[in-house]
Amino acid sequence: MADQKPSVVVLDYGSGNVRSVVRALERAGADVTLTADRAAAQDADGLVVPGVGAFAACMDGLRAVRGHEVIGRRLAGGRPVLGICVGMQVLFETGVEHGVTSEGCGEWPGTVERLRAPVVPHMGWNTVEVPDGTSVFAGVEGERFYFVHSYGVRDWTLVTNDRTRAPLVTWAEHGGDRFVAAVENGPLTATQFHPEKSGDAGAALLRNWVLSLR
């Protein structure tokens, strides 16, 4: 059916209030299921990995439902995944909080570390520096998005040497400190900000992602 809604699973692994994510995706045109079921997460057109709180706690929750395996298998098959906030951070190799280093999913090299801005957390609306060729930010390149975080990725270290298409990296700045605000990397998309809390701009971004699942 041409008008059938794309199926999206929001991975339910104990990470905070995810109802707003579910509602925002439904408004964006997806048929959404909130579940920890691996088969459902594997088979859906799109998988969303939300995340709030501490990196280590999110990784523990993710491993408990073997979500890291689902993410890896989906990406190996070119199937779309969207990470949000700490759901983006856990895609990197490591996270450092209070001097403790935790292992992430390792989809990208890099370390999630405390922001070096005068005021932390970074909380509120901020503009982003969007790269050329973006699809997820189409139509909202100049808009502001809602952030709430104390940690981020301050260095992008993945080098492809033109062997594969280089990921598109969006940046933001807070208190003079630059950090990764979003990444578009083939089937893997992630945002440090909360699109579900970012008003019309966030709704448009989610709509762009849902449309890409068709």
Side-chain angles (χ1 to χ4, degrees), residues 45-85:
D45 295 325
L47 175 67
V48 174
V49 183
V52 294
F55 183 103
C58 279
M59 274 310 301
D60 287 346
L62 209 50
R63 286 196 188 96
V65 300
R66 287 165 56 191
H68 59 304
E69 295 176 9
V70 174
I71 292 168
R73 276 204 294 272
R74 284 188 64 93
L75 296 177
R79 296 179 65 73
V81 176
L82 171 65
I84 295 175
C85 197

PDB file of all heavy atoms in Angstrom, residues 45-85:
ATOM      1  N   ASP A  45      10.552  -0.680  10.282  1.00  0.00           N
ATOM      2  CA  ASP A  45      11.185   0.151   9.250  1.00  0.00           C
ATOM      3  C   ASP A  45      12.248   1.055   9.871  1.00  0.00           C
ATOM      4  O   ASP A  45      13.301   1.292   9.274  1.00  0.00           O
ATOM      5  CB  ASP A  45      10.139   1.001   8.526  1.00  0.00           C
ATOM      6  CG  ASP A  45       9.146   0.148   7.747  1.00  0.00           C
ATOM      7  OD1 ASP A  45       9.555  -0.907   7.211  1.00  0.00           O
ATOM      8  OD2 ASP A  45       7.957   0.528   7.686  1.00  0.00           O
ATOM      9  N   GLY A  46      11.961   1.573  11.060  1.00  0.00           N
ATOM     10  CA  GLY A  46      12.901   2.445  11.752  1.00  0.00           C
ATOM     11  C   GLY A  46      12.965   2.097  13.228  1.00  0.00           C
ATOM     12  O   GLY A  46      11.957   1.675  13.811  1.00  0.00           O
ATOM     13  N   LEU A  47      14.140   2.273  13.837  1.00  0.00           N
ATOM     14  CA  LEU A  47      14.312   2.066  15.271  1.00  0.00           C
ATOM     15  C   LEU A  47      14.784   3.369  15.899  1.00  0.00           C
ATOM     16  O   LEU A  47      15.731   3.994  15.397  1.00  0.00           O
ATOM     17  CB  LEU A  47      15.353   0.977  15.542  1.00  0.00           C
ATOM     18  CG  LEU A  47      15.723   0.747  17.023  1.00  0.00           C
ATOM     19  CD1 LEU A  47      14.543   0.174  17.794  1.00  0.00           C
ATOM     20  CD2 LEU A  47      16.943  -0.158  17.147  1.00  0.00           C
ATOM     21  N   VAL A  48      14.123   3.799  16.986  1.00  0.00           N
ATOM     22  CA  VAL A  48      14.535   5.005  17.703  1.00  0.00           C
ATOM     23  C   VAL A  48      15.079   4.599  19.065  1.00  0.00           C
ATOM     24  O   VAL A  48      14.443   3.845  19.804  1.00  0.00           O
ATOM     25  CB  VAL A  48      13.366   5.993  17.860  1.00  0.00           C
ATOM     26  CG1 VAL A  48      13.767   7.180  18.735  1.00  0.00           C
ATOM     27  CG2 VAL A  48      12.917   6.490  16.481  1.00  0.00           C
ATOM     28  N   VAL A  49      16.278   5.100  19.383  1.00  0.00           N
ATOM     29  CA  VAL A  49      16.918   4.833  20.672  1.00  0.00           C
ATOM     30  C   VAL A  49      16.932   6.136  21.455  1.00  0.00           C
ATOM     31  O   VAL A  49      17.760   7.021  21.193  1.00  0.00           O
ATOM     32  CB  VAL A  49      18.353   4.306  20.487  1.00  0.00           C
ATOM     33  CG1 VAL A  49      18.981   3.970  21.841  1.00  0.00           C
ATOM     34  CG2 VAL A  49      18.366   3.090  19.565  1.00  0.00           C
ATOM     35  N   PRO A  50      15.983   6.312  22.406  1.00  0.00           N
ATOM     36  CA  PRO A  50      15.976   7.529  23.214  1.00  0.00           C
ATOM     37  C   PRO A  50      17.019   7.400  24.321  1.00  0.00           C
ATOM     38  O   PRO A  50      17.695   6.369  24.440  1.00  0.00           O
ATOM     39  CB  PRO A  50      14.562   7.556  23.781  1.00  0.00           C
ATOM     40  CG  PRO A  50      14.189   6.105  23.891  1.00  0.00           C
ATOM     41  CD  PRO A  50      14.922   5.382  22.792  1.00  0.00           C
ATOM     42  N   GLY A  51      17.165   8.428  25.139  1.00  0.00           N
ATOM     43  CA  GLY A  51      18.091   8.318  26.258  1.00  0.00           C
ATOM     44  C   GLY A  51      18.162   9.594  27.066  1.00  0.00           C
ATOM     45  O   GLY A  51      18.319  10.677  26.508  1.00  0.00           O
ATOM     46  N   VAL A  52      18.021   9.469  28.370  1.00  0.00           N
ATOM     47  CA  VAL A  52      18.219  10.596  29.276  1.00  0.00           C
ATOM     48  C   VAL A  52      19.026  10.096  30.472  1.00  0.00           C
ATOM     49  O   VAL A  52      19.044   8.897  30.765  1.00  0.00           O
ATOM     50  CB  VAL A  52      16.888  11.203  29.776  1.00  0.00           C
ATOM     51  CG1 VAL A  52      16.111  11.839  28.638  1.00  0.00           C
ATOM     52  CG2 VAL A  52      16.023  10.140  30.465  1.00  0.00           C
ATOM     53  N   GLY A  53      19.713  11.022  31.143  1.00  0.00           N
ATOM     54  CA  GLY A  53      20.445  10.650  32.341  1.00  0.00           C
ATOM     55  C   GLY A  53      21.892  10.312  32.056  1.00  0.00           C
ATOM     56  O   GLY A  53      22.529  10.911  31.191  1.00  0.00           O
ATOM     57  N   ALA A  54      22.409   9.327  32.773  1.00  0.00           N
ATOM     58  CA  ALA A  54      23.832   9.007  32.722  1.00  0.00           C
ATOM     59  C   ALA A  54      24.152   8.020  31.608  1.00  0.00           C
ATOM     60  O   ALA A  54      23.393   7.096  31.341  1.00  0.00           O
ATOM     61  CB  ALA A  54      24.279   8.436  34.066  1.00  0.00           C
ATOM     62  N   PHE A  55      25.297   8.216  30.987  1.00  0.00           N
ATOM     63  CA  PHE A  55      25.782   7.352  29.906  1.00  0.00           C
ATOM     64  C   PHE A  55      25.839   5.900  30.366  1.00  0.00           C
ATOM     65  O   PHE A  55      25.316   4.992  29.706  1.00  0.00           O
ATOM     66  CB  PHE A  55      27.162   7.856  29.478  1.00  0.00           C
ATOM     67  CG  PHE A  55      27.799   7.122  28.327  1.00  0.00           C
ATOM     68  CD1 PHE A  55      27.808   7.689  27.063  1.00  0.00           C
ATOM     69  CD2 PHE A  55      28.435   5.899  28.504  1.00  0.00           C
ATOM     70  CE1 PHE A  55      28.420   7.037  25.992  1.00  0.00           C
ATOM     71  CE2 PHE A  55      29.046   5.236  27.441  1.00  0.00           C
ATOM     72  CZ  PHE A  55      29.034   5.816  26.189  1.00  0.00           C
ATOM     73  N   ALA A  56      26.495   5.661  31.518  1.00  0.00           N
ATOM     74  CA  ALA A  56      26.700   4.291  32.005  1.00  0.00           C
ATOM     75  C   ALA A  56      25.370   3.593  32.272  1.00  0.00           C
ATOM     76  O   ALA A  56      25.182   2.418  31.937  1.00  0.00           O
ATOM     77  CB  ALA A  56      27.563   4.294  33.261  1.00  0.00           C
ATOM     78  N   ALA A  57      24.425   4.324  32.890  1.00  0.00           N
ATOM     79  CA  ALA A  57      23.116   3.738  33.200  1.00  0.00           C
ATOM     80  C   ALA A  57      22.364   3.393  31.925  1.00  0.00           C
ATOM     81  O   ALA A  57      21.698   2.352  31.843  1.00  0.00           O
ATOM     82  CB  ALA A  57      22.300   4.701  34.063  1.00  0.00           C
ATOM     83  N   CYS A  58      22.453   4.265  30.912  1.00  0.00           N
ATOM     84  CA  CYS A  58      21.792   3.978  29.637  1.00  0.00           C
ATOM     85  C   CYS A  58      22.407   2.752  28.965  1.00  0.00           C
ATOM     86  O   CYS A  58      21.684   1.911  28.426  1.00  0.00           O
ATOM     87  CB  CYS A  58      21.873   5.192  28.704  1.00  0.00           C
ATOM     88  SG  CYS A  58      20.639   6.461  29.059  1.00  0.00           S
ATOM     89  N   MET A  59      23.724   2.640  29.019  1.00  0.00           N
ATOM     90  CA  MET A  59      24.364   1.456  28.424  1.00  0.00           C
ATOM     91  C   MET A  59      23.953   0.184  29.161  1.00  0.00           C
ATOM     92  O   MET A  59      23.713  -0.855  28.545  1.00  0.00           O
ATOM     93  CB  MET A  59      25.889   1.603  28.440  1.00  0.00           C
ATOM     94  CG  MET A  59      26.477   2.348  27.254  1.00  0.00           C
ATOM     95  SD  MET A  59      25.945   1.791  25.599  1.00  0.00           S
ATOM     96  CE  MET A  59      26.450   0.070  25.582  1.00  0.00           C
ATOM     97  N   ASP A  60      23.858   0.262  30.492  1.00  0.00           N
ATOM     98  CA  ASP A  60      23.417  -0.906  31.267  1.00  0.00           C
ATOM     99  C   ASP A  60      22.018  -1.337  30.849  1.00  0.00           C
ATOM    100  O   ASP A  60      21.743  -2.524  30.662  1.00  0.00           O
ATOM    101  CB  ASP A  60      23.440  -0.594  32.769  1.00  0.00           C
ATOM    102  CG  ASP A  60      24.849  -0.525  33.332  1.00  0.00           C
ATOM    103  OD1 ASP A  60      25.795  -0.965  32.641  1.00  0.00           O
ATOM    104  OD2 ASP A  60      25.007  -0.013  34.461  1.00  0.00           O
ATOM    105  N   GLY A  61      21.120  -0.342  30.709  1.00  0.00           N
ATOM    106  CA  GLY A  61      19.754  -0.636  30.298  1.00  0.00           C
ATOM    107  C   GLY A  61      19.691  -1.213  28.897  1.00  0.00           C
ATOM    108  O   GLY A  61      18.937  -2.150  28.613  1.00  0.00           O
ATOM    109  N   LEU A  62      20.512  -0.646  28.004  1.00  0.00           N
ATOM    110  CA  LEU A  62      20.558  -1.099  26.617  1.00  0.00           C
ATOM    111  C   LEU A  62      21.044  -2.549  26.541  1.00  0.00           C
ATOM    112  O   LEU A  62      20.459  -3.392  25.846  1.00  0.00           O
ATOM    113  CB  LEU A  62      21.498  -0.180  25.836  1.00  0.00           C
ATOM    114  CG  LEU A  62      21.267   0.050  24.352  1.00  0.00           C
ATOM    115  CD1 LEU A  62      19.832   0.436  24.063  1.00  0.00           C
ATOM    116  CD2 LEU A  62      22.232   1.112  23.838  1.00  0.00           C
ATOM    117  N   ARG A  63      22.110  -2.858  27.294  1.00  0.00           N
ATOM    118  CA  ARG A  63      22.649  -4.221  27.284  1.00  0.00           C
ATOM    119  C   ARG A  63      21.648  -5.221  27.876  1.00  0.00           C
ATOM    120  O   ARG A  63      21.595  -6.377  27.450  1.00  0.00           O
ATOM    121  CB  ARG A  63      23.967  -4.281  28.059  1.00  0.00           C
ATOM    122  CG  ARG A  63      25.127  -3.652  27.319  1.00  0.00           C
ATOM    123  CD  ARG A  63      26.472  -4.060  27.896  1.00  0.00           C
ATOM    124  NE  ARG A  63      27.539  -3.276  27.279  1.00  0.00           N
ATOM    125  CZ  ARG A  63      28.055  -2.175  27.802  1.00  0.00           C
ATOM    126  NH1 ARG A  63      27.611  -1.723  28.955  1.00  0.00           N
ATOM    127  NH2 ARG A  63      29.002  -1.516  27.185  1.00  0.00           N
ATOM    128  N   ALA A  64      20.884  -4.757  28.878  1.00  0.00           N
ATOM    129  CA  ALA A  64      19.933  -5.663  29.539  1.00  0.00           C
ATOM    130  C   ALA A  64      18.891  -6.199  28.560  1.00  0.00           C
ATOM    131  O   ALA A  64      18.408  -7.317  28.714  1.00  0.00           O
ATOM    132  CB  ALA A  64      19.250  -4.952  30.707  1.00  0.00           C
ATOM    133  N   VAL A  65      18.533  -5.398  27.551  1.00  0.00           N
ATOM    134  CA  VAL A  65      17.566  -5.854  26.537  1.00  0.00           C
ATOM    135  C   VAL A  65      18.282  -6.216  25.217  1.00  0.00           C
ATOM    136  O   VAL A  65      17.649  -6.421  24.197  1.00  0.00           O
ATOM    137  CB  VAL A  65      16.469  -4.795  26.276  1.00  0.00           C
ATOM    138  CG1 VAL A  65      15.695  -4.507  27.553  1.00  0.00           C
ATOM    139  CG2 VAL A  65      17.034  -3.510  25.684  1.00  0.00           C
ATOM    140  N   ARG A  66      19.620  -6.261  25.294  1.00  0.00           N
ATOM    141  CA  ARG A  66      20.473  -6.557  24.126  1.00  0.00           C
ATOM    142  C   ARG A  66      20.221  -5.591  22.969  1.00  0.00           C
ATOM    143  O   ARG A  66      20.311  -5.932  21.793  1.00  0.00           O
ATOM    144  CB  ARG A  66      20.310  -8.015  23.691  1.00  0.00           C
ATOM    145  CG  ARG A  66      21.011  -8.941  24.700  1.00  0.00           C
ATOM    146  CD  ARG A  66      20.653 -10.390  24.610  1.00  0.00           C
ATOM    147  NE  ARG A  66      20.849 -10.994  23.318  1.00  0.00           N
ATOM    148  CZ  ARG A  66      20.388 -12.209  23.000  1.00  0.00           C
ATOM    149  NH1 ARG A  66      19.718 -12.912  23.891  1.00  0.00           N
ATOM    150  NH2 ARG A  66      20.592 -12.713  21.802  1.00  0.00           N
ATOM    151  N   GLY A  67      19.915  -4.356  23.358  1.00  0.00           N
ATOM    152  CA  GLY A  67      19.660  -3.323  22.352  1.00  0.00           C
ATOM    153  C   GLY A  67      20.874  -2.997  21.510  1.00  0.00           C
ATOM    154  O   GLY A  67      20.754  -2.661  20.332  1.00  0.00           O
ATOM    155  N   HIS A  68      22.077  -3.084  22.119  1.00  0.00           N
ATOM    156  CA  HIS A  68      23.305  -2.801  21.361  1.00  0.00           C
ATOM    157  C   HIS A  68      23.474  -3.799  20.219  1.00  0.00           C
ATOM    158  O   HIS A  68      23.958  -3.443  19.141  1.00  0.00           O
ATOM    159  CB  HIS A  68      24.527  -2.832  22.288  1.00  0.00           C
ATOM    160  CG  HIS A  68      24.749  -4.129  22.992  1.00  0.00           C
ATOM    161  ND1 HIS A  68      23.786  -4.724  23.786  1.00  0.00           N
ATOM    162  CD2 HIS A  68      25.828  -4.972  23.003  1.00  0.00           C
ATOM    163  CE1 HIS A  68      24.265  -5.865  24.260  1.00  0.00           C
ATOM    164  NE2 HIS A  68      25.490  -6.037  23.801  1.00  0.00           N
ATOM    165  N   GLU A  69      23.022  -5.054  20.431  1.00  0.00           N
ATOM    166  CA  GLU A  69      23.096  -6.057  19.365  1.00  0.00           C
ATOM    167  C   GLU A  69      22.095  -5.743  18.255  1.00  0.00           C
ATOM    168  O   GLU A  69      22.399  -5.887  17.064  1.00  0.00           O
ATOM    169  CB  GLU A  69      22.821  -7.448  19.929  1.00  0.00           C
ATOM    170  CG  GLU A  69      23.871  -7.927  20.925  1.00  0.00           C
ATOM    171  CD  GLU A  69      23.503  -9.268  21.539  1.00  0.00           C
ATOM    172  OE1 GLU A  69      22.520  -9.907  21.074  1.00  0.00           O
ATOM    173  OE2 GLU A  69      24.188  -9.680  22.487  1.00  0.00           O
ATOM    174  N   VAL A  70      20.899  -5.317  18.652  1.00  0.00           N
ATOM    175  CA  VAL A  70      19.873  -4.956  17.659  1.00  0.00           C
ATOM    176  C   VAL A  70      20.360  -3.795  16.798  1.00  0.00           C
ATOM    177  O   VAL A  70      20.232  -3.815  15.563  1.00  0.00           O
ATOM    178  CB  VAL A  70      18.543  -4.592  18.350  1.00  0.00           C
ATOM    179  CG1 VAL A  70      17.534  -4.066  17.333  1.00  0.00           C
ATOM    180  CG2 VAL A  70      17.969  -5.797  19.083  1.00  0.00           C
ATOM    181  N   ILE A  71      20.934  -2.777  17.441  1.00  0.00           N
ATOM    182  CA  ILE A  71      21.456  -1.620  16.702  1.00  0.00           C
ATOM    183  C   ILE A  71      22.515  -2.082  15.700  1.00  0.00           C
ATOM    184  O   ILE A  71      22.471  -1.723  14.514  1.00  0.00           O
ATOM    185  CB  ILE A  71      22.053  -0.577  17.671  1.00  0.00           C
ATOM    186  CG1 ILE A  71      20.954   0.065  18.507  1.00  0.00           C
ATOM    187  CG2 ILE A  71      22.824   0.496  16.901  1.00  0.00           C
ATOM    188  CD1 ILE A  71      21.466   0.887  19.689  1.00  0.00           C
ATOM    189  N   GLY A  72      23.457  -2.887  16.168  1.00  0.00           N
ATOM    190  CA  GLY A  72      24.532  -3.362  15.289  1.00  0.00           C
ATOM    191  C   GLY A  72      24.018  -4.172  14.113  1.00  0.00           C
ATOM    192  O   GLY A  72      24.473  -3.989  12.976  1.00  0.00           O
ATOM    193  N   ARG A  73      23.062  -5.057  14.386  1.00  0.00           N
ATOM    194  CA  ARG A  73      22.510  -5.889  13.303  1.00  0.00           C
ATOM    195  C   ARG A  73      21.730  -5.046  12.293  1.00  0.00           C
ATOM    196  O   ARG A  73      21.820  -5.286  11.086  1.00  0.00           O
ATOM    197  CB  ARG A  73      21.615  -6.985  13.884  1.00  0.00           C
ATOM    198  CG  ARG A  73      22.388  -8.209  14.330  1.00  0.00           C
ATOM    199  CD  ARG A  73      21.508  -9.451  14.351  1.00  0.00           C
ATOM    200  NE  ARG A  73      20.471  -9.333  15.361  1.00  0.00           N
ATOM    201  CZ  ARG A  73      20.616  -9.701  16.629  1.00  0.00           C
ATOM    202  NH1 ARG A  73      21.757 -10.185  17.041  1.00  0.00           N
ATOM    203  NH2 ARG A  73      19.627  -9.583  17.481  1.00  0.00           N
ATOM    204  N   ARG A  74      20.943  -4.105  12.804  1.00  0.00           N
ATOM    205  CA  ARG A  74      20.186  -3.247  11.879  1.00  0.00           C
ATOM    206  C   ARG A  74      21.134  -2.473  10.977  1.00  0.00           C
ATOM    207  O   ARG A  74      20.940  -2.410   9.756  1.00  0.00           O
ATOM    208  CB  ARG A  74      19.296  -2.268  12.664  1.00  0.00           C
ATOM    209  CG  ARG A  74      18.040  -2.895  13.256  1.00  0.00           C
ATOM    210  CD  ARG A  74      17.131  -1.809  13.840  1.00  0.00           C
ATOM    211  NE  ARG A  74      16.647  -0.902  12.794  1.00  0.00           N
ATOM    212  CZ  ARG A  74      15.494  -1.037  12.136  1.00  0.00           C
ATOM    213  NH1 ARG A  74      14.680  -2.037  12.435  1.00  0.00           N
ATOM    214  NH2 ARG A  74      15.142  -0.182  11.216  1.00  0.00           N
ATOM    215  N   LEU A  75      22.162  -1.887  11.552  1.00  0.00           N
ATOM    216  CA  LEU A  75      23.083  -1.071  10.756  1.00  0.00           C
ATOM    217  C   LEU A  75      23.853  -1.925   9.761  1.00  0.00           C
ATOM    218  O   LEU A  75      24.116  -1.494   8.640  1.00  0.00           O
ATOM    219  CB  LEU A  75      24.032  -0.308  11.673  1.00  0.00           C
ATOM    220  CG  LEU A  75      23.337   0.727  12.580  1.00  0.00           C
ATOM    221  CD1 LEU A  75      24.340   1.372  13.511  1.00  0.00           C
ATOM    222  CD2 LEU A  75      22.609   1.787  11.750  1.00  0.00           C
ATOM    223  N   ALA A  76      24.202  -3.153  10.163  1.00  0.00           N
ATOM    224  CA  ALA A  76      24.900  -4.063   9.242  1.00  0.00           C
ATOM    225  C   ALA A  76      24.036  -4.355   8.018  1.00  0.00           C
ATOM    226  O   ALA A  76      24.547  -4.574   6.921  1.00  0.00           O
ATOM    227  CB  ALA A  76      25.262  -5.359   9.960  1.00  0.00           C
ATOM    228  N   GLY A  77      22.715  -4.331   8.216  1.00  0.00           N
ATOM    229  CA  GLY A  77      21.790  -4.563   7.112  1.00  0.00           C
ATOM    230  C   GLY A  77      21.293  -3.292   6.451  1.00  0.00           C
ATOM    231  O   GLY A  77      20.389  -3.339   5.613  1.00  0.00           O
ATOM    232  N   GLY A  78      21.865  -2.145   6.839  1.00  0.00           N
ATOM    233  CA  GLY A  78      21.477  -0.872   6.242  1.00  0.00           C
ATOM    234  C   GLY A  78      20.101  -0.396   6.658  1.00  0.00           C
ATOM    235  O   GLY A  78      19.458   0.365   5.931  1.00  0.00           O
ATOM    236  N   ARG A  79      19.647  -0.826   7.853  1.00  0.00           N
ATOM    237  CA  ARG A  79      18.297  -0.466   8.302  1.00  0.00           C
ATOM    238  C   ARG A  79      18.351   0.709   9.267  1.00  0.00           C
ATOM    239  O   ARG A  79      19.151   0.721  10.197  1.00  0.00           O
ATOM    240  CB  ARG A  79      17.622  -1.679   8.944  1.00  0.00           C
ATOM    241  CG  ARG A  79      17.423  -2.810   7.925  1.00  0.00           C
ATOM    242  CD  ARG A  79      16.790  -4.031   8.535  1.00  0.00           C
ATOM    243  NE  ARG A  79      15.417  -3.801   9.006  1.00  0.00           N
ATOM    244  CZ  ARG A  79      14.359  -3.657   8.222  1.00  0.00           C
ATOM    245  NH1 ARG A  79      14.506  -3.693   6.910  1.00  0.00           N
ATOM    246  NH2 ARG A  79      13.157  -3.496   8.735  1.00  0.00           N
ATOM    247  N   PRO A  80      17.485   1.726   9.085  1.00  0.00           N
ATOM    248  CA  PRO A  80      17.619   2.997   9.789  1.00  0.00           C
ATOM    249  C   PRO A  80      17.468   2.918  11.316  1.00  0.00           C
ATOM    250  O   PRO A  80      16.614   2.204  11.843  1.00  0.00           O
ATOM    251  CB  PRO A  80      16.491   3.847   9.192  1.00  0.00           C
ATOM    252  CG  PRO A  80      16.254   3.257   7.843  1.00  0.00           C
ATOM    253  CD  PRO A  80      16.463   1.793   8.014  1.00  0.00           C
ATOM    254  N   VAL A  81      18.327   3.683  11.974  1.00  0.00           N
ATOM    255  CA  VAL A  81      18.314   3.860  13.426  1.00  0.00           C
ATOM    256  C   VAL A  81      18.457   5.354  13.711  1.00  0.00           C
ATOM    257  O   VAL A  81      19.262   6.031  13.069  1.00  0.00           O
ATOM    258  CB  VAL A  81      19.474   3.099  14.105  1.00  0.00           C
ATOM    259  CG1 VAL A  81      19.505   3.383  15.606  1.00  0.00           C
ATOM    260  CG2 VAL A  81      19.375   1.599  13.846  1.00  0.00           C
ATOM    261  N   LEU A  82      17.681   5.853  14.685  1.00  0.00           N
ATOM    262  CA  LEU A  82      17.776   7.248  15.127  1.00  0.00           C
ATOM    263  C   LEU A  82      18.041   7.266  16.625  1.00  0.00           C
ATOM    264  O   LEU A  82      17.253   6.725  17.411  1.00  0.00           O
ATOM    265  CB  LEU A  82      16.466   7.994  14.824  1.00  0.00           C
ATOM    266  CG  LEU A  82      16.322   9.410  15.416  1.00  0.00           C
ATOM    267  CD1 LEU A  82      17.356  10.363  14.809  1.00  0.00           C
ATOM    268  CD2 LEU A  82      14.903   9.949  15.187  1.00  0.00           C
ATOM    269  N   GLY A  83      19.158   7.868  17.032  1.00  0.00           N
ATOM    270  CA  GLY A  83      19.473   8.026  18.447  1.00  0.00           C
ATOM    271  C   GLY A  83      19.184   9.449  18.898  1.00  0.00           C
ATOM    272  O   GLY A  83      19.469  10.400  18.150  1.00  0.00           O
ATOM    273  N   ILE A  84      18.621   9.605  20.094  1.00  0.00           N
ATOM    274  CA  ILE A  84      18.251  10.928  20.611  1.00  0.00           C
ATOM    275  C   ILE A  84      18.903  11.154  21.974  1.00  0.00           C
ATOM    276  O   ILE A  84      18.777  10.322  22.872  1.00  0.00           O
ATOM    277  CB  ILE A  84      16.724  11.075  20.734  1.00  0.00           C
ATOM    278  CG1 ILE A  84      16.064  11.013  19.355  1.00  0.00           C
ATOM    279  CG2 ILE A  84      16.356  12.381  21.439  1.00  0.00           C
ATOM    280  CD1 ILE A  84      14.526  11.019  19.396  1.00  0.00           C
ATOM    281  N   CYS A  85      19.574  12.291  22.135  1.00  0.00           N
ATOM    282  CA  CYS A  85      20.223  12.733  23.373  1.00  0.00           C
ATOM    283  C   CYS A  85      21.231  11.676  23.844  1.00  0.00           C
ATOM    284  O   CYS A  85      22.176  11.388  23.129  1.00  0.00           O
ATOM    285  CB  CYS A  85      19.191  13.092  24.432  1.00  0.00           C
ATOM    286  SG  CYS A  85      19.916  14.094  25.772  1.00  0.00           S
TER     287      CYS A  85
END
